Amino acid sequence: MERKVFDKVVKAINGDKSAYGDLYEIYALEMYKYALYICKNREDAEDAVQETALAVFKSIRLLKDPSKFKSYLFSSLANCCKKKYKGYETLELNENTVHLEGKEDEKIAVWTAMDKLDSESREIVSLSVLSGFKSHEISDMLNLPAPTVRTKLRRALKKMGEELRV
């Protein structure tokens, strides 16, 4: 974690609302992309990000290690998304979905490949690829052994690669 962000986390833990707002600005887009992949619905993803931001704001004083803020934030988001995801079976592909870089047909191909993964694999890929978490961090968030996370990530990326080559 870079020093500026670490300092903001410390200030937020000590009650600085402005520092927490800055942290939200830093992570909001990343949170939204992750939530959209899990919830598969723009409105639910937006709600999950907002609910998570509020819940973490209320509980940030409980965070003992400021360097674990991002992991804490995304663990909270993952739990919120899992609650919202229930009941959604297909990915909505339309103009309201997240704007990924690249051509429209490439975006749809990535979404379709991602949609063919089981929810746990999709979550692992999202945490790793979209949010940049390491396998040991994902392991802590999902209560899985790190080697299992690496294996599931490798298999999921291979499956997505096969889907994208077709």
Side-chain angles (χ1 to χ4, degrees):
M1 172 181 286
E2 81 180 55
R3 185 69 190 171
K4 273 189 332 189
V5 175
F6 183 86
D7 291 342
K8 288 186 186 298
V9 173
V10 171
K11 288 179 181 178
I13 289 171
N14 291 319
D16 185 333
K17 294 175 184 172
S18 175
Y20 186 79
D22 293 343
L23 290 169
Y24 177 78
E25 289 297 319
I26 291 168
Y27 293 113
L29 181 59
E30 193 175 338
M31 290 171 64
Y32 174 70
K33 287 179 181 180
Y34 171 79
L36 188 59
Y37 273 110
I38 302 304
C39 294
K40 298 181 176 187
N41 174 290
R42 190 181 122 229
E43 291 79 16
D44 285 345
E46 290 169 352
D47 288 347
V49 169
Q50 291 300 315
E51 288 172 25
T52 300
L54 182 59
V56 170
F57 175 74
K58 289 179 179 178
S59 65
I60 195 165
R61 290 177 186 232
L62 302 174
L63 185 62
K64 303 275 188 242
D65 182 356
S67 67
K68 303 270 188 196
F69 174 75
K70 186 175 179 184
S71 179
Y72 178 64
L73 182 66
F74 276 83
S75 291
S76 298
L77 180 59
N79 289 333
C80 189
C81 288
K82 286 177 189 175
K83 290 177 193 169
K84 292 196 172 295
Y85 177 72
K86 291 180 181 177
Y88 292 99
E89 296 298 324
T90 60
L91 182 63
E92 295 179 12
L93 295 172
N94 59 46
E95 68 279 357
N96 294 323
T97 55
V98 69
H99 298 287
L100 300 173
E101 299 297 323
K103 298 177 186 168
E104 202 61 37
D105 58 336
E106 291 172 352
K107 292 183 216 177
I108 292 172
V110 170
W111 277 99
T112 303
M114 190 76 150
D115 193 41
K116 293 189 179 183
L117 300 175
D118 62 89
S119 62
E120 186 176 63
S121 296
R122 186 172 37 255
E123 186 171 11
I124 290 170
V125 169
S126 296
L127 286 168
S128 176
V129 176
L130 293 178
S131 302
F133 285 105
K134 306 276 189 243
S135 61
H136 68 277
E137 295 170 318
I138 297 169
S139 165
D140 291 341
M141 285 185 237
L142 302 180
N143 294 318
L144 293 170
T148 301
V149 170
R150 287 190 292 274
T151 299
K152 288 181 179 265
L153 177 61
R154 189 171 44 255
R155 287 179 183 161
L157 292 175
K158 181 179 178 185
K159 182 175 181 178
M160 285 182 68
E162 290 168 358
E163 288 294 324
L164 292 171
R165 279 188 219 116
V166 172

